[in-house]
Amino acid sequence: MKNIVRELRTQREWSQAHLADLLEVSRQTVNAIETGRYDPSLPLAFSIAKLFQLPIEKIFQAQ
């Protein structure tokens, strides 16, 4: 699944660790999502969308 999590995070000048803390996941999970090695669960995807105040479809797109 393609996503723009890295772009959204860097626009806010957040580290992966900071985003991970906000989402209550590990930094490794954030890295895996950003690199496309891990597709987040629906609850986590909705948490990411809520945090960035964007519709989930703007953040995640099927490849």
Side-chain angles (χ1 to χ4, degrees), residues 7-56:
E7 291 85 353
L8 294 169
R9 178 181 58 77
T10 57
Q11 285 173 3
R12 288 159 178 77
E13 299 182 356
W14 292 347
S15 67
Q16 286 183 341
H18 180 68
L19 179 55
D21 287 345
L22 293 173
L23 295 170
E24 299 180 351
V25 298
S26 69
R27 186 201 58 78
Q28 291 84 353
T29 298
V30 170
N31 180 269
I33 292 168
E34 289 184 351
T35 58
R37 290 183 286 118
Y38 173 72
D39 291 337
S41 65
L42 273 177
L44 179 53
F46 278 110
S47 294
I48 292 168
K50 183 177 178 181
L51 181 66
F52 289 117
Q53 299 178 341
L54 289 171
I56 197 167

Side-chain angles (χ1 to χ4, degrees), residues 1-4 8 42 45-46 48-50 53-62:
M1 181 175 295
K2 185 177 177 187
N3 69 73
I4 59 167
L8 294 169
L42 273 177
F46 278 110
I48 292 168
K50 183 177 178 181
Q53 299 178 341
L54 289 171
I56 197 167
E57 301 85 18
K58 295 274 188 191
I59 300 173
F60 299 96
Q61 297 110 22

